Amino acid sequence: MGRLFGTDGVRGVAGRDLTAELAMDLSVAAAHVLGDAGAFGHKRPVAVVGRDPRASGEFLEAAVVAGLASSGVDVLRLGVLPTPAVAYLTSALGADLGVMLTASHNPAPDNGVKFLARGGVKLADAVEDEIERRLREPWDRPEGAKVGRVRDAFGEADRYISHVLETIPNRLEGLRVVVDCAHGAAHMVAPEAMVRAGAEVEAIGARPDGLNINDSCGSTHLAKLQQVVVSRGADFGVAYDGDADRCLAVTHEGKVVDGDQIMAILALDLHSRGELKRDTVVATVMSNLGFKLAMREAGITVVETAVGDRYVLERMKADGYNLGGEQSGHVIMLDHATTGDGLLTSLHLAAVVAKSGVSLAELASVMTPLPQILINVKGVDKAKAGAPELAKAVAEAEAELGESGRVLIRPSGTEPMIRVMVEAASQEQATQVAERLAGVVRAACV
């Protein structure tokens, strides 16, 4: 059996790959690793459990709660809440572990189990490996008064809303904002928070039925949001994914503002207030060169990591940075959250718009995204990504592009595939160079 844990928990088609039995067994193993009663003296460990609105989340929640309680862990059932809310409440409520049931931006048939350690932080690979190792191991089952107790804690959503509102430096009066909740976990808390912050809000994608999550809406499908923002004459719109750990935005003209542009706006605002730690922002190697050029022009350093918000977070924590993220809209504001938080990001973005008195379009123009072409070359030997002929072709392409472009050759982490990414001053040049390099990959990496 391959490794169960992927880049963000255990995911699969609910009922087929991710069964109730597996969810229960994972929770028992996680209780033994993260909630070992021996580590807490006489205190019984406590877990918080949240989920997005997927229909399968109902039976998976029941399985997870049963696994935890049968292991002697007290459970606070949070109900439908965003992943970052569960992370925050794991810390705020002093829980020993947190569990979120979600498949993020994936379609409704998928689901996932994501564990959080004390403090609401993601698990290290070694901890995930330990949970897998102890899966279905023999164990002494608590009885009588030693079994865990379960209670609902749905009202804790307000604690999370109050927390994110306390972080914004100014109110949002005068703004008209359209909020696309992807029929997902933020469908109640996001519109409520925006209204309480002072904005006039129209919510779309806010009627989950368990099956419509991410269905032609949310941060992966922006067409509906673009249409509503323009037709209503709103100042801008924001869109979350299914578990609301990321957000993207659109301007009053309906133009997309991606994660790089959002990070640029927030970085410049923090920098102007002297609150950007070490005058540095953390981004992945896939962030647009236009972002890096804009930051350099502003005197802000960009530190790069591998693709994945977990790697961004690791670098931020290791070196004391407080802002980082990805082009996809995962933005981490480490002064206020332990993970990417779409609602937090959108509130701070709105606060900059409200304070500046200029449009989101004008704020986003601080960076000019360079045309970016990504070609996935499939069926090749990833181990040959460093072949001399490919390295020579890359060097020639980089010389041709100069400072107005760049090349990134990256083996896929999960498939027999090499990704070729090229940025250039024009779409035509980016396409030509990318296709040329893809041809070299096909010839050199067989």
Side-chain angles (χ1 to χ4, degrees):
M1 182 179 70
R3 191 175 190 268
L4 278 175
F5 284 88
T7 56
D8 211 6
V10 178
R11 287 188 188 177
V13 176
R16 185 185 71 193
D17 308 313
L18 182 57
T19 63
E21 293 86 350
L22 177 57
M24 181 180 292
D25 290 342
L26 281 167
S27 298
V28 170
H32 294 161
V33 173
L34 299 171
D36 184 359
F40 309 105
H42 299 294
K43 172 182 173 291
R44 185 146 64 186
V46 175
V48 297
V49 178
R51 63 181 180 89
D52 70 24
R54 293 167 208 266
S56 60
E58 297 169 0
F59 79 76
L60 290 173
E61 177 191 60
V64 166
V65 169
L68 292 170
S70 69
S71 303
V73 177
D74 288 339
V75 180
L76 301 177
R77 194 160 44 194
L78 300 174
V80 174
L81 276 181
T83 292
V86 175
Y88 168 72
L89 291 169
T90 301
S91 175
L93 298 175
D96 301 301
L97 67 151
V99 188
M100 179 67 186
L101 298 163
T102 183
S104 188
H105 58 281
N106 287 18
D110 293 350
N111 216 324
V113 182
K114 183 185 304 186
F115 294 103
L116 298 160
R118 199 175 308 114
V121 298
K122 292 185 176 183
L123 304 187
D125 289 346
V127 178
E128 291 178 341
D129 290 341
E130 177 66 6
I131 291 173
E132 282 200 35
R133 190 185 68 78
R134 299 183 66 173
L135 196 64
R136 303 186 183 97
E137 69 176 359
W139 55 292
D140 294 329
R141 300 170 185 269
E143 300 175 355
K146 293 182 179 180
V147 301
R149 305 301 298 271
V150 181
R151 65 181 177 88
D152 293 333
F154 303 146
E156 295 297 342
D158 191 67
R159 187 192 297 260
Y160 167 67
I161 294 173
S162 297
H163 162 67
V164 293
L165 290 176
E166 288 170 358
T167 70
I168 57 174
N170 53 272
R171 291 185 55 77
L172 311 182
E173 272 82 10
L175 291 183
R176 298 179 63 196
V177 184
V178 181
V179 177
D180 184 347
C181 301
H183 296 305
H187 75 280
M188 291 181 64
V189 296
E192 172 72 12
M194 282 282 184
V195 168
R196 282 169 55 175
E200 180 182 337
V201 177
E202 178 172 349
I204 63 174
R207 296 184 177 180
D209 62 11
L211 303 175
N212 59 0
I213 189 169
N214 300 315
D215 186 6
S216 300
C217 58
S219 62
T220 52
H221 302 88
L222 293 169
K224 177 66 173 178
L225 177 63
Q226 292 169 303
Q227 184 268 321
V228 174
V229 168
V230 173
S231 66
R232 300 292 195 273
D235 292 302
F236 63 94
V238 294
Y240 312 108
D241 62 339
D243 70 332
D245 65 351
R246 72 172 80 177
C247 89
L248 296 178
V250 300
T251 69
H252 67 285
E253 300 166 327
K255 294 182 179 179
V256 176
V257 179
D258 68 15
D260 285 341
Q261 293 166 298
I262 292 171
M263 279 198 296
I265 293 168
L266 296 180
L268 290 173
D269 178 63
L270 289 170
H271 185 60
S272 71
R273 294 191 274 129
E275 296 181 9
L276 184 64
K277 290 182 180 176
R278 302 180 65 181
D279 293 324
T280 297
V281 61
V282 182
T284 76
V285 293
M286 291 299 288
S287 280
N288 194 278
L289 179 58
F291 168 73
K292 297 166 188 174
L293 294 175
M295 294 297 95
R296 186 171 69 185
E297 179 70 19
I300 296 172
T301 301
V302 177
V303 171
E304 290 187 345
T305 74
V307 175
D309 63 312
R310 68 186 300 168
Y311 302 112
V312 173
L313 179 59
E314 285 173 5
R315 186 62 182 272
M316 292 174 68
K317 292 171 68 175
D319 294 340
Y321 305 125
N322 63 341
L323 180 66
E326 296 186 285
Q327 195 178 62
S328 61
H330 281 117
V331 177
I332 303 170
M333 305 187 74
L334 204 52
D335 290 337
H336 312 302
T338 60
T339 185
D341 188 329
L343 175 55
L344 180 74
T345 300
S346 62
L347 284 168
H348 279 261
L349 182 66
V352 177
V353 175
K355 180 180 64 175
S356 67
V358 302
S359 68
L360 177 59
E362 184 175 344
L363 290 170
S365 69
V366 68
M367 67 163 279
T368 302
L370 295 182
Q372 189 179 78
I373 297 294
L374 176 65
I375 298 177
N376 294 322
V377 185
K378 300 181 179 180
V380 294
D381 185 351
K382 295 186 295 183
K384 295 183 178 180
E389 53 266 55
L390 179 56
K392 179 182 177 183
V394 168
E396 292 172 350
E398 289 175 334
E400 175 186 338
L401 296 170
E403 289 194 358
S404 62
R406 68 180 179 123
V407 174
L408 179 65
I409 306 294
R410 186 169 68 89
S412 167
T414 57
E415 301 176 69
M417 178 168 67
I418 294 177
R419 305 185 195 278
V420 176
M421 191 275 285
V422 175
E423 289 172 338
S426 70
Q427 191 80 20
E428 181 182 10
Q429 185 184 30
T431 301
Q432 289 176 350
V433 173
E435 289 178 347
R436 186 169 74 236
L437 289 173
V440 177
V441 169
R442 293 186 186 98
C445 302
V446 292

